[in-house]
Amino acid sequence: MNKNNRMIEYIRSMKRIGGITFLLSLIILVTAIINPQFLSSYNIRNILRWTGLFGLLSLGAAFVVITGGIDLSIGSVVGLIGSIAAYLMVHAQWPVWVVLIFIIVLSATIGLIHGLLITKIHMQAFVVTLCGLFVYRGLARYLMDDRTQGYGTGFQSVRFLASGRLPSAFWTDGQAPKFILNWSIPMPFILLLAIAVLMAIVLNKTIYGQHLKATGRNECASRFSGIHTDNVLIIAYVISSTLAGLGGLLFSLDLNTVQPSSMGNMYELYAIAGCVVGGVSLRGGDGSILGVILGTAIVRVLYNAINVAGVSTQLEQVVLGLVILIGVAADEVVRMIAAQRKVRESMILAQKALEKSKQAET
Amino acid sequence: MKSRLFVVFMVLLLVVSVFTVSAGAQKEAVAEKPLIGFITNGPYEFWTYSAAAVEILKKDLDIDVEFLLPPNGLPEEQKRFIESLVTRGVDGIGISVTDPDNVTPFLNEIMETVPMVMFDSDAPNSNRLAYVGMSNYAAGRMAGQAVTEVLPNGGEFMIIVGRLDAQNAIERRQGMIDELNGEPYVAQYPGKMTPNTPNLKLGGGKWTLLETRTDGGDQSKAKSNSEDAILKFPQMDLMVGMWSYSSPAIISAVADAGLLGKMKIIGFDMENELLQAVKDGNAYAALGQDPFTYAVRTIEILAKKARGEAVSIPADKLIDVPALKITGQNIDEVWGKYKAQLSDGNKYLEATK
Amino acid sequence: MKNEEKPSSIGHDLPEEYVLEVKNISKSFPGVRALNDVSFNLKVGETLALVGENGAGKSTMMKILAGVYVPDAGEIIIEGNAVSIGSVERATQFGVALVHQELNLCDNLSIAGNVFLGREPRYRHLKKVIDFDKMNNDATEVLNRVGLHLNPSIILKELPISSQQLVEISKALSINAKVVMFDEPTSSLSEHETEQLFKVIRDLNQNGISCIYISHRLGEVKEVADRVIVLRDGKLSGSLNKNEIDRDKMIRLMVGRDIEKMYEKRHLVTDKVRLQLEDLIVPKQARFPVNLSVRGGEIVVLSGLIGAGRSELLHTIFGVDKSWGGRILLDGKEVTIKKPVDAIHAGMVLVPEDRKLNGLVVNMEVDNNIALPGLCDNLSKKGFIEKRKVAELAERMVQKLDIRLFKTTQFAESLSGGNQQKVVLAKWLAMNPTLLLLDEPTRGIDVGAKAEIYKLLEDLAQLGVAILVASSELQEVLGIADRIVVMCEGRITGELDPASCSEEDIMKLATERLV
């Protein structure tokens, strides 16, 4: 029976993912027809790398969005952590592993502060994280004196996290066969997959995930069930900021230069867009990790497709906005039609039952 | 209540910090030497190169220079600096104006008693002695020159920039286009703009500007724009980065594609990444500004004026400090100079803190 | 299950052991004294019924015991130890569980997920990971105890409301409680399900578990309770043992006066049909086209259980939800109603169920609240509000409805529930409607105010206004109606004449489900 249940659950979740997968395939197909180069290993690699980098931010944002909240500070955290990481490694010359631990702790602390302000002082998440957006951006500029940070030519080992690829890196002499060289997966995407698997387990298998979904849907009922809803929310914000911080590190390693004043601007909106396209409801309670990754992929593929298909650079935001809008609207319309069909069916059934009872009377 | 207390605390903190800064500015002044004020538009690393000039100029010209960096780059801060300099009996002020439209009347008032020279950022409608700065248009012409050198037989190229509505981007791009089209040379921007259409034929079809792609100031967008360009135009020979972060993004994309050395790169500004690429032969040229010379020219004029000596200033009051064209030939020398200036400047700033 | 070794008969008649003692509990909310010095106790294995009018303090008492509220004064003693409960978690630890009146579930989780929410079974070695197999198995066991034979991994929102209620009960059972409190548990259950529930309660008693049962269905109380205590206006007004339990006694203790006088029918029903619904299709919930008519001067009451689709029907008539088909005729003429403003122009008004949410702008002055619907028509000139007319109107309505307030410019939220409801009525009566729709007009207001609202409806009916009321209180239904229309799951299951029917007749129709 349990196996059967799992099948049903699986099919149900696939239905939700189905629309997004269709949209993604459609964009890929159309772009590939316009420019076959779109499917070249070089381009696929690039798309995977960007999906990996932005996907981390979307995953974090998804946890907050599932609670019914919002995190507007993600982009500024990316900028702050990205520049601090570069500064500490290059200028302060801290050991790499110390820097890694430090920035994880720092970004988790940022999330902790957000969570405490939201739950204990009862501030609105929008306000808290909006202030965060300003504060961390300013802090990054102040701490770095507005100087661009970079890694130069060094730090190849840690930069592997962002610009490396597997499995081609196993051939230490760089003599990997051409096929493997072409189709090796960029590290950010591998990291994303690893973290996504972890997060999917957290969301679907652990007590925390269950409480997260419950709190997002019905906070009152969750509190009455003895859940520490405050802690649930705090942890969601910690996850969001920590992944944003990790994203900041990877972005800075990938780009090799960080401008504290602009790095990560608007990334919170890309992260939330990824969630929304991936079927995470801003009303809270609903969302799947696979959906978030597909949603992020759609946004990244779209950006790439716009360039590759030769749409004017001024129009790209228009295309992006419209495709997201149409995708989400189509999803809603399909659901509405399904609901109406259900009603029609039951009306016909009821009519039949009524006729039958009338016949029985006569 | 608590939040109000916090605001009061922050305001107090601000007031105290301003006081300490201006107190520092009011250190003992020696009467006999002329005193020149040099006010930048913010606390940026860029100005460290200028600071390096100050130490040398002090000795050479036998003057005192007050080198001031507004901590937040705000017009109010510049105003306060000017006022405290005037109270100390300053003999001349050089300034990079942050808000020219609104502070011009105030500056004119000051200039009734104290002569001023603008550098880097002008207030064109004020009564300044002169403006010292780089013409972005001239720098664009220089970049165009570099294109003819690196692609003497013609070729296709791409421009990566943050926004095309920014004045410096317009002028730099236009300078390149005019140079490649062989227009007669002028140093100042003639005020026209070639629209951003794909496949712009230049120099009678010899060179093709494939596209000018914008990223709105987002570094990672700049990188993905570069990647997409590499994919879309496999025959492309050259990429030009117009903003400071553009060239590092191009270099990163080119490196990932394994095209380092094959794809030619030209960039503006003196980012370390770009200079390193020039040194390694992965980029053809960098067009750098010269903040050191800004300081030299500005302070020279003011010092002469203070001593009542004759100063030669062109009729249009514009003093062009041309961009530095850095290529494989002069990279070691120029970079060495930059590094030396940077460390001198830092020393000076440390000492006067 | 600690008490299993005891002989099963001990619970009922031997009063030796109290599982719970409540001493001198008081609790105030801003403006209301919800509980005033209430004391009672609960024996092991007995079912104690707690009855009283709405607003008498029953729910507050429950929420204190469940740890949702902290009492201002008084003592709670569980198994001889004075405890302070304070949080839901501690209540659970002490073995006190509450089955909520409003559904308190997360409809995005599975049945099992809801039953064990906050107490999910985990793997022995992976303390943070849910053991879904164990959870589903345990849930199946608990669900069987309430007679709900469903796959526990079904997502809750796919269940009908009545089954969701049983999930809520299973949730309380699953903590192995010593005391289980039921807050109006049968308000959405069918007769069969109610009997199933009583069986569950008796099983619990057999196993030494005590129950507190809140209901104002007095027939049920008589059937299930061993003892009754009655609350009135936050005070304990009396206690009845099993052999004393009697409907009239309970009513007397609840209202403190004779109930019959509250309703006085004087109006005459005219022949003129004012509202006629022909095959009206209510979106989403109703699977059946609705046919219904209300005549001038007639009070028709829609009765049924929670979720029967009465509010939805009123919303569709009023244009809050757009109908999916059918016709609405007013005075014989078809009207198209797409949004509430169309309905208002057609001469109908709706007094909604939740007055704080939909009926009033609570942080606005009384006079502005009353003037709100008429602002565009006759209270303004060229877009500017005429203050004088607003004040006049407010003054007139306040006198007419006898709204007790200090001045008409005080905020609506500072009034008592009954007076707030009168402000809502005033606001709509100022529009001189010919058809008045009311959704639970007396929910949560005191007896005196109720009587006044009944009198008001009576006066309006005398003036020839057609009135359609949705009400869950059977006393009220029988008292005010000229005709009772009963609904179940979106379908009209029958019409009754209040003069010749009983509460049981209504309940029978209200639970007449199609399977």
Side-chain angles (χ1 to χ4, degrees), chain B residues 79-290:
Chain B
K79 244 180 178 172
R80 260 197 308 276
F81 285 156
I82 292 172
E83 279 163 356
S84 72
L85 281 171
V86 171
T87 7
R88 287 173 59 194
V90 73
D91 297 293
I93 296 175
I95 182 168
S96 172
V97 188
T98 54
D99 186 10
D101 292 342
N102 296 316
V103 296
T104 300
F106 168 77
L107 293 176
N108 280 339
E109 207 177 293
I110 299 290
M111 275 182 260
E112 284 171 17
T113 50
V114 180
M116 278 191 181
V117 171
M118 312 299 166
F119 59 89
D120 182 51
S121 170
D122 196 8
N125 299 322
S126 68
N127 305 325
R128 77 242 190 292
L129 284 181
Y131 166 67
V132 176
M134 181 185 82
S135 156
N136 277 304
Y137 180 77
R141 301 284 306 218
M142 212 179 259
Q145 184 61 39
V147 174
T148 62
E149 289 163 21
V150 74
L151 302 174
N153 303 317
E156 300 187 350
F157 70 102
M158 175 103 190
I159 294 175
I160 301 286
V161 67
R163 285 192 306 273
L164 253 188
D165 52 5
Q167 195 59 29
N168 65 355
I170 295 172
E171 292 190 17
R172 287 173 183 184
R173 178 170 169 275
Q174 198 59 45
M176 281 184 78
I177 289 172
D178 289 354
E179 181 69 25
L180 291 173
N181 277 335
E183 310 258 344
Y185 185 85
V186 285
Q188 295 305 323
Y189 176 53
K192 61 176 178 179
M193 183 180 170
T194 310
N196 180 17
T197 45
N199 294 318
L200 211 56
K201 299 286 177 205
L202 302 172
K206 199 171 171 189
W207 294 281
T208 306
L209 172 51
L210 294 163
E211 243 179 305
T212 303
R213 208 87 210 181
T214 57
D215 50 62
D218 181 345
Q219 278 162 279
S220 54
K221 190 78 208 317
K223 183 174 176 185
S224 75
N225 277 347
S226 311
E227 288 170 350
D228 297 342
I230 291 168
L231 178 80
K232 199 178 160 196
F233 308 114
Q235 78 287 4
M236 178 170 60
D237 307 291
L238 166 72
M239 297 177 84
V240 180
M242 285 218 154
W243 278 12
S244 57
Y245 64 85
S246 310
S247 338
I250 293 171
I251 293 163
S252 175
V254 169
D256 284 358
L259 292 173
L260 273 185
K262 285 176 210 147
M263 176 71 71
K264 309 281 190 291
I265 297 168
I266 292 174
F268 285 80
D269 295 337
M270 1 175 231
E271 287 291 314
N272 275 325
E273 295 302 313
L274 178 59
L275 296 179
Q276 185 65 46
V278 171
K279 189 174 161 65
D280 298 345
N282 294 329
Y284 175 70
L287 296 146
Q289 294 191 55
D290 192 354

Side-chain angles (χ1 to χ4, degrees), chain A residues 108-179:
Chain A
T109 311
I110 288 173
L112 182 67
I113 293 168
H114 290 170
L116 288 174
L117 286 172
I118 289 161
T119 55
K120 306 296 178 195
I121 320 243
H122 302 292
M123 290 175 75
Q124 285 167 357
F126 192 99
V127 176
V128 170
T129 56
L130 180 69
C131 296
L133 180 149
F134 295 126
V135 170
Y136 309 132
R137 174 68 57 206
L139 214 54
R141 296 183 57 182
Y142 173 73
L143 290 176
M144 299 302 127
D145 247 2
D146 258 329
R147 288 177 198 178
T148 303
Q149 303 296 321
Y151 297 89
T153 46
F155 301 97
Q156 287 305 328
S157 59
V158 61
R159 287 191 61 196
F160 179 79
L161 284 177
S163 51
R165 279 185 275 143
L166 284 179
S168 64
F170 292 132
W171 280 263
T172 40
D173 54 356
Q175 296 300 309
K178 196 155 192 302
F179 177 80

Side-chain angles (χ1 to χ4, degrees), chain A residues 35-355:
Chain A
N35 188 345
Q37 278 296 305
F38 178 77
L39 293 177
S40 68
S41 65
Y42 172 69
N43 199 45
I44 300 288
R45 243 166 28 222
N46 288 337
I47 291 175
L48 289 181
R49 202 183 68 249
W50 292 119
T51 305
L53 291 168
F54 282 97
L56 283 177
L57 308 184
S58 289
L59 270 189
F63 273 71
V64 167
V65 173
I66 289 174
T67 69
I70 199 160
D71 189 347
L72 296 177
S73 70
I74 290 172
S76 294
V77 172
V78 166
L80 178 66
I81 300 293
S83 32
I84 286 182
Y87 178 83
L88 290 180
M89 283 190 215
V90 178
H91 289 274
Q93 299 189 328
W94 288 20
V96 168
W97 62 274
V98 176
V99 176
L100 290 184
I101 293 171
F102 178 78
I103 59 165
I104 296 288
V105 170
L106 180 65
S107 42
T109 311
I110 288 173
L112 182 67
I113 293 168
H114 290 170
L116 288 174
L117 286 172
I118 289 161
T119 55
K120 306 296 178 195
I121 320 243
H122 302 292
M123 290 175 75
Q124 285 167 357
F126 192 99
V127 176
V128 170
T129 56
L130 180 69
C131 296
L133 180 149
F134 295 126
V135 170
Y136 309 132
R137 174 68 57 206
L139 214 54
R141 296 183 57 182
Y142 173 73
L143 290 176
M144 299 302 127
D145 247 2
D146 258 329
R147 288 177 198 178
T148 303
Q149 303 296 321
Y151 297 89
T153 46
F155 301 97
Q156 287 305 328
S157 59
V158 61
R159 287 191 61 196
F160 179 79
L161 284 177
S163 51
R165 279 185 275 143
L166 284 179
S168 64
F170 292 132
W171 280 263
T172 40
D173 54 356
Q175 296 300 309
K178 196 155 192 302
F179 177 80
I180 291 180
L181 207 57
N182 279 344
W183 291 99
S184 285
I185 310 290
M187 274 306 285
F189 192 72
I190 294 174
L191 283 176
L192 175 71
L193 287 186
I195 290 173
V197 168
L198 189 72
M199 289 301 165
I201 292 172
V202 167
L203 191 62
N204 298 314
K205 296 286 168 201
T206 65
I207 289 165
Y208 174 73
Q210 186 88 344
H211 290 182
L212 184 79
K213 285 188 265 186
T215 307
R217 177 53 59 100
N218 190 340
E219 188 176 347
C220 194
S222 308
R223 221 177 18 244
F224 283 10
S225 302
I227 294 175
H228 296 288
T229 51
D230 283 2
N231 295 359
V232 170
L233 292 180
I234 290 171
I235 292 172
Y237 284 92
V238 169
I239 290 175
S240 173
S241 291
T242 309
L243 287 182
L246 190 62
L249 172 76
L250 294 181
F251 269 110
S252 77
L253 289 170
D254 176 51
L255 296 168
N256 203 13
T257 53
V258 187
Q259 291 206 315
S261 62
S262 68
M263 161 92 157
N265 258 347
M266 300 261 287
Y267 286 9
E268 58 280 341
L269 299 187
Y270 294 132
I272 294 168
C275 292
V276 171
V277 176
V280 182
S281 166
L282 285 175
R283 293 183 198 102
D286 287 324
S288 77
I289 298 294
L290 184 59
V292 171
I293 292 177
L294 287 174
T296 313
I298 286 182
V299 176
R300 292 337 297 176
V301 167
L302 211 51
Y303 257 128
N304 179 259
I306 289 162
N307 271 345
V308 172
V311 178
S312 155
T313 185
Q314 291 99 328
L315 273 179
E316 59 189 18
Q317 279 156 323
V318 177
V319 175
L320 180 76
L322 284 181
V323 170
I324 294 178
L325 193 72
I326 292 167
V328 175
D331 195 37
E332 290 291 332
V333 169
V334 165
R335 224 173 306 161
M336 248 161 64
I337 291 172
Q340 279 179 355
R341 190 191 295 153
K342 226 177 190 175
V343 169
R344 255 200 307 278
E345 276 166 12
S346 61
M347 269 173 63
I348 292 166
L349 273 177
Q351 223 126 41
K352 275 182 190 159
L354 223 67
E355 275 163 27

